[in-house]
Amino acid sequence: MNTFFSEMVYLCLAVTAVLGGLVLCKLKKSPGQVGRKVICLVGFLGGLCLLSLSLFWSSILFSLSCFLMYIYLSCQELLPVDQKAVLITGSDSGFGHALSKYLDKLGFTVFAGVQNEKGSGAEELRRTCSKRLSVLQLDVTNPQQIKDAYSKVVEKVQNRGLWAVVNNAGILGLPIDGELIPMTDYKNCMAVNFFGAVEVTKSFLPLLRKSKGRLVNISSMAGSVPMVKLAAYGSSKAALSMFSAVMRQELAEWGIKVSVIQPGSFKTNIMGTNEMWDKLEKDILDHLTPDVLEDYGQDYILMQRNYFNLINKYGHTDLTPVLLNIQHAISAKRPFTFYTPGSGAYLWIYFVSFSPTIIFDYFNKKFNFFVSSMPRALRMPNWKNKAM
C-alpha cells in the first residue's frame, strides 16, 4: 500500500512538473498584466496547498490548478495579426501616438485619427511608420470629420471590415476644485472624452459587426476613483466606463468584445502647454463671482498649476504597460473587461470599490500629494466661528 501511494505521489509530481512547464510556456506568450496575475495566483495556490494538505493531496490539487491555468492561458493567446485594421483616435500625441507606432510595427493596418493632420504628431507618423498606416483628420467633436473618416476607412478595408476601434482621444482641463471649474470646461470634457467616443463608436459599429471585432475605450483611474481637482475629467471618464459596460453586454450578441483601459498616472501631453494653462487660469478668474473669489483667493487658484509638476514627478514615462494591455484587448482570444496599467492603479480601484466611504476618504486625504494648500477663507483662524 505504501509503495502504491509513493508511486502515486511521484506520478502527481511528474504531472505537476509537466503542467507547470506548459503554464510557463503559455506565460511567455501572454503580454502585460496577464502573466503577472497568473504567476501570483499559481504561487498562492501552491503555497496554500503545501501548507494545509499532505504531499499527495497538495500535488493533486496543484496539478489541477496548473491544468486550469493552462486552459485559461490558452484562451489568452493572441490571435494572428493578418493585417487586421484598427482605428485609433487622438493619435497626435500620448497613448494614441505611441499605440499607432506600436501596432504598425506589429503588422496591423492602422488608421491614426488626429486632431490636426498637418501637425507635428501627424507628420512624424507619416515619416516613421509603414505604408499600412493612414493618418485621418478626425476631431471627435466634429460629426462631419467622423463621417469623412468612416468613408476613408470603408474605402480601404472594403469587405474585410474594421477589426478594432480604440477611443483614446481625451482632454484633462485645468485640475482645480470643482466649484471653480467653468461650465465650459465641464462641457468640453464631456464633448471630447464621452460624447466624442460615443459618436465614433456608433459610426463605426457596422464595420465592427462585420468583423466581430473589438471596441476598446481608454478611460482612466479617475473614472472609478474620486480624485480631487478632477471633477470634470473624472466625471467624463466615469460616463465612458458606464457606456462601455452597457455596450459590452449589448454587443456580445453580435460577437463584439468591449474592453476598458483604466491607466494610472503616466506622462503624456494631455496636460497641455503653459499657454493653455494661462488661458484656463484666465477663464477661471474671469468667470468667478466676487464672493467665490474672496473665499478661495487668487493666490490659491494660481497655485493649482503645481498639480502638473506633481504629475510630472510621479507619473510614469514608460508607456509600455498601457500598450501591452491595449494589444491584449485587441488581439487576445478572450480579452479582459478591465485593464489597469500602472503601478497601484488596480489597488486604488479595488479600495474605493470595497472599502467604506469614511475609510477611503480618510486615506485618500492622508496620501493625497495634490492637496498642498487651502482656500483663503479656510486659512482664516475665525472661519469656523463665522460659519456658525
Side-chain angles (χ1 to χ4, degrees), residues 146-192:
I146 295 176
K147 291 179 182 177
D148 293 342
Y150 177 83
S151 299
K152 292 176 181 177
V153 170
V154 169
E155 182 181 351
K156 188 163 184 177
V157 301
Q158 296 181 355
N159 294 326
R160 286 188 296 134
L162 183 66
W163 176 250
V165 170
V166 181
N167 283 308
N168 165 75
I171 59 172
L172 179 65
L174 182 67
I176 198 168
D177 301 59
E179 183 181 2
L180 303 179
I181 299 175
M183 284 307 302
T184 53
D185 285 13
Y186 279 102
K187 293 175 181 177
N188 287 338
C189 275
M190 290 300 294
V192 177

mmCIF file of all heavy atoms in Angstrom, residues 146-192:
data_model
loop_
_atom_site.group_PDB
_atom_site.id
_atom_site.type_symbol
_atom_site.label_atom_id
_atom_site.label_comp_id
_atom_site.label_asym_id
_atom_site.label_seq_id
_atom_site.Cartn_x
_atom_site.Cartn_y
_atom_site.Cartn_z
ATOM 1 N N ILE A 146 -15.998 62.848 -38.592
ATOM 2 C CA ILE A 146 -16.230 61.426 -38.286
ATOM 3 C C ILE A 146 -16.796 60.716 -39.506
ATOM 4 O O ILE A 146 -16.373 59.604 -39.844
ATOM 5 C CB ILE A 146 -17.171 61.290 -37.069
ATOM 6 C CG1 ILE A 146 -16.510 61.847 -35.812
ATOM 7 C CG2 ILE A 146 -17.552 59.819 -36.849
ATOM 8 C CD1 ILE A 146 -17.406 61.850 -34.579
ATOM 9 N N LYS A 147 -17.745 61.362 -40.193
ATOM 10 C CA LYS A 147 -18.320 60.768 -41.407
ATOM 11 C C LYS A 147 -17.268 60.621 -42.500
ATOM 12 O O LYS A 147 -17.204 59.596 -43.191
ATOM 13 C CB LYS A 147 -19.477 61.635 -41.905
ATOM 14 C CG LYS A 147 -20.700 61.618 -41.008
ATOM 15 C CD LYS A 147 -21.788 62.516 -41.565
ATOM 16 C CE LYS A 147 -23.007 62.535 -40.643
ATOM 17 N NZ LYS A 147 -24.064 63.466 -41.149
ATOM 18 N N ASP A 148 -16.433 61.642 -42.678
ATOM 19 C CA ASP A 148 -15.379 61.575 -43.692
ATOM 20 C C ASP A 148 -14.380 60.465 -43.377
ATOM 21 O O ASP A 148 -13.938 59.740 -44.280
ATOM 22 C CB ASP A 148 -14.650 62.921 -43.785
ATOM 23 C CG ASP A 148 -15.545 64.032 -44.318
ATOM 24 O OD1 ASP A 148 -16.582 63.712 -44.932
ATOM 25 O OD2 ASP A 148 -15.206 65.221 -44.105
ATOM 26 N N ALA A 149 -14.032 60.348 -42.097
ATOM 27 C CA ALA A 149 -13.102 59.285 -41.693
ATOM 28 C C ALA A 149 -13.712 57.911 -41.955
ATOM 29 O O ALA A 149 -13.020 56.987 -42.416
ATOM 30 C CB ALA A 149 -12.744 59.438 -40.213
ATOM 31 N N TYR A 150 -14.994 57.764 -41.676
ATOM 32 C CA TYR A 150 -15.681 56.496 -41.926
ATOM 33 C C TYR A 150 -15.611 56.132 -43.415
ATOM 34 O O TYR A 150 -15.324 54.977 -43.767
ATOM 35 C CB TYR A 150 -17.133 56.597 -41.472
ATOM 36 C CG TYR A 150 -17.955 55.367 -41.760
ATOM 37 C CD1 TYR A 150 -17.917 54.274 -40.900
ATOM 38 C CD2 TYR A 150 -18.754 55.282 -42.899
ATOM 39 C CE1 TYR A 150 -18.659 53.136 -41.164
ATOM 40 C CE2 TYR A 150 -19.498 54.147 -43.172
ATOM 41 C CZ TYR A 150 -19.447 53.081 -42.305
ATOM 42 O OH TYR A 150 -20.183 51.953 -42.580
ATOM 43 N N SER A 151 -15.837 57.104 -44.263
ATOM 44 C CA SER A 151 -15.796 56.847 -45.710
ATOM 45 C C SER A 151 -14.410 56.391 -46.152
ATOM 46 O O SER A 151 -14.276 55.465 -46.968
ATOM 47 C CB SER A 151 -16.199 58.109 -46.476
ATOM 48 O OG SER A 151 -17.513 58.500 -46.147
ATOM 49 N N LYS A 152 -13.361 57.014 -45.605
ATOM 50 C CA LYS A 152 -11.998 56.644 -45.987
ATOM 51 C C LYS A 152 -11.639 55.253 -45.475
ATOM 52 O O LYS A 152 -10.944 54.491 -46.160
ATOM 53 C CB LYS A 152 -11.015 57.686 -45.454
ATOM 54 C CG LYS A 152 -11.148 59.045 -46.133
ATOM 55 C CD LYS A 152 -10.213 60.076 -45.516
ATOM 56 C CE LYS A 152 -10.396 61.430 -46.199
ATOM 57 N NZ LYS A 152 -9.549 62.489 -45.578
ATOM 58 N N VAL A 153 -12.108 54.909 -44.281
ATOM 59 C CA VAL A 153 -11.839 53.576 -43.736
ATOM 60 C C VAL A 153 -12.550 52.515 -44.575
ATOM 61 O O VAL A 153 -11.957 51.488 -44.929
ATOM 62 C CB VAL A 153 -12.280 53.496 -42.258
ATOM 63 C CG1 VAL A 153 -12.224 52.053 -41.765
ATOM 64 C CG2 VAL A 153 -11.403 54.385 -41.383
ATOM 65 N N VAL A 154 -13.818 52.753 -44.912
ATOM 66 C CA VAL A 154 -14.584 51.803 -45.730
ATOM 67 C C VAL A 154 -13.910 51.593 -47.073
ATOM 68 O O VAL A 154 -13.824 50.467 -47.589
ATOM 69 C CB VAL A 154 -16.026 52.305 -45.922
ATOM 70 C CG1 VAL A 154 -16.745 51.473 -46.977
ATOM 71 C CG2 VAL A 154 -16.789 52.254 -44.611
ATOM 72 N N GLU A 155 -13.428 52.689 -47.659
ATOM 73 C CA GLU A 155 -12.775 52.603 -48.967
ATOM 74 C C GLU A 155 -11.547 51.698 -48.925
ATOM 75 O O GLU A 155 -11.259 50.977 -49.891
ATOM 76 C CB GLU A 155 -12.371 54.015 -49.419
ATOM 77 C CG GLU A 155 -11.716 54.061 -50.792
ATOM 78 C CD GLU A 155 -11.317 55.474 -51.182
ATOM 79 O OE1 GLU A 155 -11.690 56.430 -50.471
ATOM 80 O OE2 GLU A 155 -10.624 55.620 -52.200
ATOM 81 N N LYS A 156 -10.826 51.715 -47.796
ATOM 82 C CA LYS A 156 -9.596 50.930 -47.709
ATOM 83 C C LYS A 156 -9.844 49.500 -47.257
ATOM 84 O O LYS A 156 -9.253 48.557 -47.794
ATOM 85 C CB LYS A 156 -8.609 51.615 -46.764
ATOM 86 C CG LYS A 156 -7.235 50.967 -46.772
ATOM 87 C CD LYS A 156 -6.180 51.863 -46.170
ATOM 88 C CE LYS A 156 -4.795 51.225 -46.294
ATOM 89 N NZ LYS A 156 -3.731 52.108 -45.776
ATOM 90 N N VAL A 157 -10.714 49.297 -46.276
ATOM 91 C CA VAL A 157 -10.913 47.933 -45.757
ATOM 92 C C VAL A 157 -11.886 47.131 -46.612
ATOM 93 O O VAL A 157 -11.853 45.900 -46.623
ATOM 94 C CB VAL A 157 -11.402 47.952 -44.292
ATOM 95 C CG1 VAL A 157 -10.402 48.677 -43.410
ATOM 96 C CG2 VAL A 157 -12.782 48.574 -44.159
ATOM 97 N N GLN A 158 -12.783 47.827 -47.306
ATOM 98 C CA GLN A 158 -13.785 47.201 -48.168
ATOM 99 C C GLN A 158 -14.555 46.115 -47.417
ATOM 100 O O GLN A 158 -15.166 46.382 -46.393
ATOM 101 C CB GLN A 158 -13.102 46.677 -49.433
ATOM 102 C CG GLN A 158 -12.513 47.800 -50.278
ATOM 103 C CD GLN A 158 -11.857 47.298 -51.549
ATOM 104 O OE1 GLN A 158 -11.737 46.105 -51.787
ATOM 105 N NE2 GLN A 158 -11.434 48.240 -52.390
ATOM 106 N N ASN A 159 -14.506 44.870 -47.883
ATOM 107 C CA ASN A 159 -15.333 43.816 -47.280
ATOM 108 C C ASN A 159 -14.711 43.182 -46.033
ATOM 109 O O ASN A 159 -15.346 42.351 -45.382
ATOM 110 C CB ASN A 159 -15.611 42.712 -48.308
ATOM 111 C CG ASN A 159 -16.468 43.205 -49.450
ATOM 112 O OD1 ASN A 159 -17.340 44.050 -49.252
ATOM 113 N ND2 ASN A 159 -16.217 42.695 -50.648
ATOM 114 N N ARG A 160 -13.470 43.564 -45.705
ATOM 115 C CA ARG A 160 -12.808 42.955 -44.546
ATOM 116 C C ARG A 160 -13.410 43.437 -43.233
ATOM 117 O O ARG A 160 -13.304 42.782 -42.204
ATOM 118 C CB ARG A 160 -11.312 43.272 -44.559
ATOM 119 C CG ARG A 160 -10.521 42.500 -45.603
ATOM 120 C CD ARG A 160 -9.037 42.721 -45.405
ATOM 121 N NE ARG A 160 -8.660 44.117 -45.625
ATOM 122 C CZ ARG A 160 -7.877 44.810 -44.820
ATOM 123 N NH1 ARG A 160 -7.427 44.260 -43.708
ATOM 124 N NH2 ARG A 160 -7.555 46.056 -45.101
ATOM 125 N N GLY A 161 -13.983 44.611 -43.247
ATOM 126 C CA GLY A 161 -14.473 45.200 -42.009
ATOM 127 C C GLY A 161 -13.334 45.806 -41.210
ATOM 128 O O GLY A 161 -12.157 45.732 -41.592
ATOM 129 N N LEU A 162 -13.679 46.410 -40.116
ATOM 130 C CA LEU A 162 -12.699 47.025 -39.221
ATOM 131 C C LEU A 162 -12.598 46.148 -37.978
ATOM 132 O O LEU A 162 -13.611 45.859 -37.337
ATOM 133 C CB LEU A 162 -13.150 48.442 -38.848
ATOM 134 C CG LEU A 162 -12.227 49.289 -37.984
ATOM 135 C CD1 LEU A 162 -10.930 49.624 -38.723
ATOM 136 C CD2 LEU A 162 -12.934 50.580 -37.557
ATOM 137 N N TRP A 163 -11.378 45.731 -37.626
ATOM 138 C CA TRP A 163 -11.230 44.800 -36.516
ATOM 139 C C TRP A 163 -11.417 45.483 -35.161
ATOM 140 O O TRP A 163 -12.031 44.915 -34.257
ATOM 141 C CB TRP A 163 -9.861 44.119 -36.565
ATOM 142 C CG TRP A 163 -9.612 43.231 -35.391
ATOM 143 C CD1 TRP A 163 -8.729 43.427 -34.357
ATOM 144 C CD2 TRP A 163 -10.278 42.001 -35.096
ATOM 145 N NE1 TRP A 163 -8.806 42.402 -33.448
ATOM 146 C CE2 TRP A 163 -9.753 41.508 -33.887
ATOM 147 C CE3 TRP A 163 -11.272 41.257 -35.743
ATOM 148 C CZ2 TRP A 163 -10.179 40.319 -33.302
ATOM 149 C CZ3 TRP A 163 -11.703 40.076 -35.166
ATOM 150 C CH2 TRP A 163 -11.157 39.617 -33.964
ATOM 151 N N ALA A 164 -10.887 46.697 -34.988
ATOM 152 C CA ALA A 164 -10.944 47.321 -33.664
ATOM 153 C C ALA A 164 -11.051 48.835 -33.765
ATOM 154 O O ALA A 164 -10.506 49.451 -34.689
ATOM 155 C CB ALA A 164 -9.718 46.950 -32.836
ATOM 156 N N VAL A 165 -11.761 49.422 -32.812
ATOM 157 C CA VAL A 165 -11.807 50.873 -32.609
ATOM 158 C C VAL A 165 -11.259 51.146 -31.217
ATOM 159 O O VAL A 165 -11.715 50.556 -30.235
ATOM 160 C CB VAL A 165 -13.235 51.427 -32.727
ATOM 161 C CG1 VAL A 165 -13.281 52.892 -32.272
ATOM 162 C CG2 VAL A 165 -13.745 51.310 -34.155
ATOM 163 N N VAL A 166 -10.267 52.023 -31.142
ATOM 164 C CA VAL A 166 -9.687 52.425 -29.856
ATOM 165 C C VAL A 166 -10.027 53.895 -29.623
ATOM 166 O O VAL A 166 -9.451 54.782 -30.253
ATOM 167 C CB VAL A 166 -8.161 52.213 -29.829
ATOM 168 C CG1 VAL A 166 -7.601 52.616 -28.459
ATOM 169 C CG2 VAL A 166 -7.803 50.767 -30.148
ATOM 170 N N ASN A 167 -10.983 54.145 -28.743
ATOM 171 C CA ASN A 167 -11.368 55.513 -28.400
ATOM 172 C C ASN A 167 -10.394 56.052 -27.365
ATOM 173 O O ASN A 167 -10.529 55.800 -26.164
ATOM 174 C CB ASN A 167 -12.801 55.547 -27.862
ATOM 175 C CG ASN A 167 -13.826 55.426 -28.957
ATOM 176 O OD1 ASN A 167 -13.808 56.156 -29.939
ATOM 177 N ND2 ASN A 167 -14.743 54.477 -28.809
ATOM 178 N N ASN A 168 -9.402 56.787 -27.854
ATOM 179 C CA ASN A 168 -8.326 57.267 -26.984
ATOM 180 C C ASN A 168 -8.357 58.777 -26.782
ATOM 181 O O ASN A 168 -7.853 59.267 -25.768
ATOM 182 C CB ASN A 168 -6.977 56.853 -27.592
ATOM 183 C CG ASN A 168 -5.820 57.592 -26.966
ATOM 184 O OD1 ASN A 168 -5.413 57.318 -25.843
ATOM 185 N ND2 ASN A 168 -5.274 58.567 -27.697
ATOM 186 N N ALA A 169 -8.933 59.532 -27.711
ATOM 187 C CA ALA A 169 -8.897 60.992 -27.640
ATOM 188 C C ALA A 169 -9.459 61.486 -26.311
ATOM 189 O O ALA A 169 -10.514 61.030 -25.864
ATOM 190 C CB ALA A 169 -9.683 61.600 -28.800
ATOM 191 N N GLY A 170 -8.752 62.413 -25.685
ATOM 192 C CA GLY A 170 -9.218 62.924 -24.405
ATOM 193 C C GLY A 170 -8.528 64.223 -24.025
ATOM 194 O O GLY A 170 -7.429 64.526 -24.508
ATOM 195 N N ILE A 171 -9.191 65.003 -23.168
ATOM 196 C CA ILE A 171 -8.609 66.229 -22.633
ATOM 197 C C ILE A 171 -8.745 66.208 -21.113
ATOM 198 O O ILE A 171 -9.611 65.531 -20.566
ATOM 199 C CB ILE A 171 -9.276 67.493 -23.211
ATOM 200 C CG1 ILE A 171 -10.780 67.511 -22.896
ATOM 201 C CG2 ILE A 171 -9.033 67.596 -24.712
ATOM 202 C CD1 ILE A 171 -11.469 68.809 -23.268
ATOM 203 N N LEU A 172 -7.884 66.969 -20.449
ATOM 204 C CA LEU A 172 -7.870 66.993 -18.992
ATOM 205 C C LEU A 172 -8.448 68.284 -18.423
ATOM 206 O O LEU A 172 -9.212 68.266 -17.467
ATOM 207 C CB LEU A 172 -6.436 66.819 -18.490
ATOM 208 C CG LEU A 172 -6.215 66.840 -16.980
ATOM 209 C CD1 LEU A 172 -6.898 65.643 -16.327
ATOM 210 C CD2 LEU A 172 -4.724 66.835 -16.652
ATOM 211 N N GLY A 173 -8.114 69.423 -19.021
ATOM 212 C CA GLY A 173 -8.501 70.699 -18.438
ATOM 213 C C GLY A 173 -7.574 71.062 -17.297
ATOM 214 O O GLY A 173 -6.604 70.362 -17.004
ATOM 215 N N LEU A 174 -7.851 72.156 -16.624
ATOM 216 C CA LEU A 174 -7.025 72.598 -15.501
ATOM 217 C C LEU A 174 -7.529 71.965 -14.211
ATOM 218 O O LEU A 174 -8.657 72.224 -13.792
ATOM 219 C CB LEU A 174 -7.051 74.124 -15.374
ATOM 220 C CG LEU A 174 -6.181 74.706 -14.256
ATOM 221 C CD1 LEU A 174 -4.702 74.477 -14.553
ATOM 222 C CD2 LEU A 174 -6.453 76.195 -14.068
ATOM 223 N N PRO A 175 -6.724 71.113 -13.568
ATOM 224 C CA PRO A 175 -7.166 70.496 -12.306
ATOM 225 C C PRO A 175 -7.336 71.543 -11.209
ATOM 226 O O PRO A 175 -6.379 72.242 -10.859
ATOM 227 C CB PRO A 175 -6.023 69.532 -11.970
ATOM 228 C CG PRO A 175 -5.307 69.314 -13.258
ATOM 229 C CD PRO A 175 -5.422 70.599 -14.002
ATOM 230 N N ILE A 176 -8.527 71.652 -10.705
ATOM 231 C CA ILE A 176 -8.827 72.619 -9.657
ATOM 232 C C ILE A 176 -10.148 72.218 -9.010
ATOM 233 O O ILE A 176 -10.851 71.337 -9.528
ATOM 234 C CB ILE A 176 -8.894 74.053 -10.247
ATOM 235 C CG1 ILE A 176 -8.752 75.110 -9.155
ATOM 236 C CG2 ILE A 176 -10.178 74.256 -11.058
ATOM 237 C CD1 ILE A 176 -8.517 76.511 -9.703
ATOM 238 N N ASP A 177 -10.484 72.820 -7.902
ATOM 239 C CA ASP A 177 -11.718 72.491 -7.194
ATOM 240 C C ASP A 177 -12.932 72.554 -8.120
ATOM 241 O O ASP A 177 -13.042 73.464 -8.953
ATOM 242 C CB ASP A 177 -11.921 73.459 -6.026
ATOM 243 C CG ASP A 177 -10.764 73.419 -5.042
ATOM 244 O OD1 ASP A 177 -9.627 73.697 -5.474
ATOM 245 O OD2 ASP A 177 -10.990 73.134 -3.855
ATOM 246 N N GLY A 178 -13.839 71.598 -7.942
ATOM 247 C CA GLY A 178 -14.999 71.506 -8.831
ATOM 248 C C GLY A 178 -15.835 72.765 -8.872
ATOM 249 O O GLY A 178 -16.429 73.098 -9.901
ATOM 250 N N GLU A 179 -15.903 73.515 -7.774
ATOM 251 C CA GLU A 179 -16.680 74.757 -7.746
ATOM 252 C C GLU A 179 -16.079 75.815 -8.655
ATOM 253 O O GLU A 179 -16.798 76.683 -9.169
ATOM 254 C CB GLU A 179 -16.749 75.290 -6.314
ATOM 255 C CG GLU A 179 -17.603 76.547 -6.157
ATOM 256 C CD GLU A 179 -17.641 77.064 -4.738
ATOM 257 O OE1 GLU A 179 -16.972 76.486 -3.855
ATOM 258 O OE2 GLU A 179 -18.349 78.068 -4.495
ATOM 259 N N LEU A 180 -14.769 75.742 -8.871
ATOM 260 C CA LEU A 180 -14.072 76.769 -9.646
ATOM 261 C C LEU A 180 -13.997 76.452 -11.136
ATOM 262 O O LEU A 180 -13.687 77.331 -11.936
ATOM 263 C CB LEU A 180 -12.651 76.953 -9.097
ATOM 264 C CG LEU A 180 -12.537 77.317 -7.616
ATOM 265 C CD1 LEU A 180 -11.076 77.443 -7.206
ATOM 266 C CD2 LEU A 180 -13.285 78.613 -7.316
ATOM 267 N N ILE A 181 -14.236 75.203 -11.502
ATOM 268 C CA ILE A 181 -14.147 74.827 -12.920
ATOM 269 C C ILE A 181 -15.306 75.461 -13.684
ATOM 270 O O ILE A 181 -16.472 75.241 -13.340
ATOM 271 C CB ILE A 181 -14.193 73.295 -13.077
ATOM 272 C CG1 ILE A 181 -13.006 72.650 -12.360
ATOM 273 C CG2 ILE A 181 -14.192 72.897 -14.548
ATOM 274 C CD1 ILE A 181 -13.036 71.135 -12.359
ATOM 275 N N PRO A 182 -15.036 76.243 -14.731
ATOM 276 C CA PRO A 182 -16.118 76.842 -15.516
ATOM 277 C C PRO A 182 -16.973 75.774 -16.192
ATOM 278 O O PRO A 182 -16.488 74.689 -16.525
ATOM 279 C CB PRO A 182 -15.372 77.688 -16.563
ATOM 280 C CG PRO A 182 -13.995 77.883 -16.009
ATOM 281 C CD PRO A 182 -13.702 76.659 -15.207
ATOM 282 N N MET A 183 -18.232 76.082 -16.416
ATOM 283 C CA MET A 183 -19.129 75.126 -17.069
ATOM 284 C C MET A 183 -18.644 74.774 -18.468
ATOM 285 O O MET A 183 -18.869 73.657 -18.943
ATOM 286 C CB MET A 183 -20.551 75.684 -17.125
ATOM 287 C CG MET A 183 -21.299 75.625 -15.805
ATOM 288 S SD MET A 183 -21.310 73.960 -15.054
ATOM 289 C CE MET A 183 -22.081 72.992 -16.349
ATOM 290 N N THR A 184 -17.950 75.707 -19.123
ATOM 291 C CA THR A 184 -17.423 75.398 -20.460
ATOM 292 C C THR A 184 -16.415 74.255 -20.399
ATOM 293 O O THR A 184 -16.354 73.422 -21.311
ATOM 294 C CB THR A 184 -16.753 76.640 -21.075
ATOM 295 O OG1 THR A 184 -15.781 77.164 -20.137
ATOM 296 C CG2 THR A 184 -17.779 77.714 -21.378
ATOM 297 N N ASP A 185 -15.636 74.189 -19.304
ATOM 298 C CA ASP A 185 -14.666 73.100 -19.166
ATOM 299 C C ASP A 185 -15.359 71.767 -18.917
ATOM 300 O O ASP A 185 -14.937 70.725 -19.433
ATOM 301 C CB ASP A 185 -13.694 73.405 -18.028
ATOM 302 C CG ASP A 185 -12.666 74.458 -18.410
ATOM 303 O OD1 ASP A 185 -12.860 75.113 -19.449
ATOM 304 O OD2 ASP A 185 -11.686 74.643 -17.671
ATOM 305 N N TYR A 186 -16.413 71.795 -18.113
ATOM 306 C CA TYR A 186 -17.195 70.572 -17.910
ATOM 307 C C TYR A 186 -17.743 70.074 -19.250
ATOM 308 O O TYR A 186 -17.673 68.880 -19.575
ATOM 309 C CB TYR A 186 -18.359 70.826 -16.950
ATOM 310 C CG TYR A 186 -17.998 70.795 -15.484
ATOM 311 C CD1 TYR A 186 -17.837 71.966 -14.761
ATOM 312 C CD2 TYR A 186 -17.840 69.581 -14.811
ATOM 313 C CE1 TYR A 186 -17.511 71.942 -13.407
ATOM 314 C CE2 TYR A 186 -17.509 69.542 -13.462
ATOM 315 C CZ TYR A 186 -17.347 70.731 -12.763
ATOM 316 O OH TYR A 186 -17.026 70.698 -11.430
ATOM 317 N N LYS A 187 -18.302 71.000 -20.024
ATOM 318 C CA LYS A 187 -18.901 70.628 -21.308
ATOM 319 C C LYS A 187 -17.853 70.155 -22.304
ATOM 320 O O LYS A 187 -18.092 69.217 -23.074
ATOM 321 C CB LYS A 187 -19.691 71.808 -21.866
ATOM 322 C CG LYS A 187 -20.929 72.156 -21.039
ATOM 323 C CD LYS A 187 -21.618 73.406 -21.560
ATOM 324 C CE LYS A 187 -22.833 73.752 -20.696
ATOM 325 N NZ LYS A 187 -23.493 75.025 -21.135
ATOM 326 N N ASN A 188 -16.666 70.792 -22.300
ATOM 327 C CA ASN A 188 -15.600 70.382 -23.214
ATOM 328 C C ASN A 188 -15.106 68.972 -22.881
ATOM 329 O O ASN A 188 -14.860 68.164 -23.786
ATOM 330 C CB ASN A 188 -14.436 71.375 -23.152
ATOM 331 C CG ASN A 188 -14.759 72.692 -23.829
ATOM 332 O OD1 ASN A 188 -15.647 72.764 -24.678
ATOM 333 N ND2 ASN A 188 -14.056 73.745 -23.448
ATOM 334 N N CYS A 189 -14.949 68.685 -21.583
ATOM 335 C CA CYS A 189 -14.510 67.343 -21.187
ATOM 336 C C CYS A 189 -15.529 66.292 -21.612
ATOM 337 O O CYS A 189 -15.165 65.227 -22.136
ATOM 338 C CB CYS A 189 -14.303 67.282 -19.671
ATOM 339 S SG CYS A 189 -12.671 67.851 -19.125
ATOM 340 N N MET A 190 -16.798 66.571 -21.412
ATOM 341 C CA MET A 190 -17.830 65.627 -21.825
ATOM 342 C C MET A 190 -17.870 65.496 -23.349
ATOM 343 O O MET A 190 -18.057 64.397 -23.880
ATOM 344 C CB MET A 190 -19.189 66.072 -21.296
ATOM 345 C CG MET A 190 -19.355 65.944 -19.795
ATOM 346 S SD MET A 190 -19.180 64.248 -19.177
ATOM 347 C CE MET A 190 -20.616 63.476 -19.912
ATOM 348 N N ALA A 191 -17.669 66.611 -24.060
ATOM 349 C CA ALA A 191 -17.735 66.585 -25.526
ATOM 350 C C ALA A 191 -16.648 65.702 -26.115
ATOM 351 O O ALA A 191 -16.890 64.935 -27.056
ATOM 352 C CB ALA A 191 -17.625 68.011 -26.074
ATOM 353 N N VAL A 192 -15.435 65.794 -25.577
ATOM 354 C CA VAL A 192 -14.318 65.020 -26.131
ATOM 355 C C VAL A 192 -14.258 63.622 -25.526
ATOM 356 O O VAL A 192 -14.236 62.620 -26.242
ATOM 357 C CB VAL A 192 -12.979 65.759 -25.882
ATOM 358 C CG1 VAL A 192 -11.808 64.918 -26.395
ATOM 359 C CG2 VAL A 192 -12.982 67.119 -26.564
#
